[in-house]
Amino acid sequence: MKLVDRKSLSDIIIAWLGVVALIVGGLFAGYQYLDKVAAVRVKEALSYVEQFNKPPIYNMRFKIEKIWLEHSKKLNEVLQPSATNKQYHDFVLQLIKTQKIETEIMLLIQFFETLETCSTKRICDTKVVHSFFGGYARSFYHLHYPFIVQWRQDWNDPSFAKGIETFAKPSRQCAKGIHKRSKDEILNL
């Protein structure tokens, strides 16, 4: 083979190696970018976990949960099969009003609305969000459903708490007669 042919062949091989290196480098850079984006999403989701477990949100949760525990006997009574939806709804609404926890409930709903937006817009990692908050959001939504419905009716706002509703993925059981279930079943729907 002549020297000119070898030079031409080596130029072709070098050009192809450059193209392959460029493609591999681009794929690696893309992988690095996606990995970094995923890490940022996880970090953002974990910032919500931190907010959730620190004041003021933790204090609101503690206050609400304490009140429900103090009234768990009556809650269980209105969850018996012999009770009606109206009895359950009336009890929940009256308890919220007399214990003056409307503001805390509204702020927690707002927290979950923001969290749901973060998740659906892929700012937060959806799996991390659902792993940390799914159970709590479901039980919170189901337990406070009469309050949510009342608020929607009073303010003619069917979109109120739709974020937590979507996030919590309520089962059909919630709308069909939650009063037929025990407290533990409601909190784990």
Side-chain angles (χ1 to χ4, degrees):
M1 196 179 255
K2 293 183 184 178
L3 185 60
V4 172
D5 289 340
R6 285 187 182 168
K7 182 171 174 24
S8 188
L9 181 61
S10 68
D11 287 344
I12 292 171
I13 291 172
I14 289 172
W16 275 106
L17 285 174
V19 168
V20 169
L22 184 64
I23 291 171
V24 170
L27 290 173
F28 182 72
Y31 173 77
Q32 289 286 337
Y33 172 77
L34 291 176
D35 195 39
K36 184 176 181 178
V37 167
V40 168
R41 287 183 181 144
V42 169
K43 186 177 180 180
E44 187 64 28
L46 291 175
S47 75
Y48 276 88
V49 173
E50 186 176 348
Q51 288 177 42
F52 192 69
N53 290 309
K54 290 171 81 174
I57 295 173
Y58 175 80
N59 296 343
M60 289 184 275
R61 288 178 33 228
F62 182 79
K63 180 179 179 181
I64 292 168
E65 290 167 14
K66 183 178 177 209
I67 289 168
W68 282 114
L69 286 173
E70 289 170 355
H71 295 87
S72 61
K73 183 177 179 186
K74 178 64 177 171
L75 177 62
N76 280 328
E77 289 174 17
V78 297
L79 289 172
Q80 295 304 311
S82 59
T84 65
N85 273 338
K86 183 174 178 3
Q87 287 172 312
Y88 173 72
H89 284 240
D90 290 348
F91 168 70
V92 169
L93 294 174
Q94 187 62 35
L95 183 69
I96 291 169
K97 184 177 180 181
T98 59
Q99 296 297 315
K100 299 179 180 167
I101 54 174
E102 297 96 338
T103 301
E104 288 83 357
I105 292 170
M106 293 294 286
L107 290 171
L108 280 170
I109 288 171
Q110 184 59 47
F111 174 83
F112 281 109
E113 298 291 298
T114 305
L115 180 62
E116 191 272 336
T117 299
C118 187
S119 179
T120 58
K121 298 295 183 187
R122 298 183 42 95
I123 297 166
C124 293
D125 184 274
T126 303
K127 288 180 183 177
V128 172
V129 166
H130 285 275
S131 174
F132 277 102
F133 297 104
Y136 188 90
R138 260 188 308 284
S139 64
F140 182 89
Y141 175 81
H142 289 289
L143 191 57
H144 299 98
Y145 184 72
F147 176 81
I148 292 168
V149 168
Q150 187 66 48
W151 189 268
R152 287 175 180 170
Q153 291 171 351
D154 289 350
W155 291 94
N156 194 24
D157 183 4
S159 68
F160 174 72
K162 284 294 185 180
I164 191 171
E165 181 178 330
T166 302
F167 180 75
K169 296 184 179 170
S171 66
R172 291 176 166 235
Q173 296 170 338
C174 180
K176 286 190 170 186
I178 199 167
H179 68 279
K180 295 181 181 176
R181 284 150 191 81
S182 73
K183 176 181 72 168
D184 292 332
E185 288 174 312
I186 287 176
L187 296 178
N188 292 313
L189 284 177

